[in-house]
Amino acid sequence: MHDFQFFGGGWMMFFWWFLILALIVLVVRALMNTDKQNTKTETPMDILKRRYANGEINKEEFEERKKELLS
């Protein structure tokens, strides 16, 4: 009679497969986020270089702060 009685039949089968796939995606995302948290944190010099590259500070300010960090 019904081929998919275990899953609830018809459209319910698609619902269960969607639910299983959604859970797999959530687990993979959670694992990837823990990898990002374990990455190296930025040093003050890295932050200074990034701010200079983004144009947040000018060259003179970059050089002054660089000297302060290296001394």
Side-chain angles (χ1 to χ4, degrees), residues 13 24 29 37 40-41 43 49-51 69-70:
M13 181 187 76
I24 291 171
R29 279 188 164 181
Q37 292 172 355
K40 179 184 143 195
T41 58
T43 65
K49 289 177 181 178
R50 181 177 41 81
R51 290 187 64 202
L69 287 174
L70 296 176

Side-chain angles (χ1 to χ4, degrees), residues 46-68:
D46 292 335
I47 295 170
L48 183 63
K49 289 177 181 178
R50 181 177 41 81
R51 290 187 64 202
Y52 179 63
N54 289 337
E56 296 175 18
I57 58 175
N58 59 24
K59 185 173 183 163
E60 294 82 24
E61 190 173 359
F62 172 78
E63 293 297 330
E64 288 175 20
R65 292 182 184 203
K66 181 179 169 184
K67 287 179 188 176
E68 289 176 14

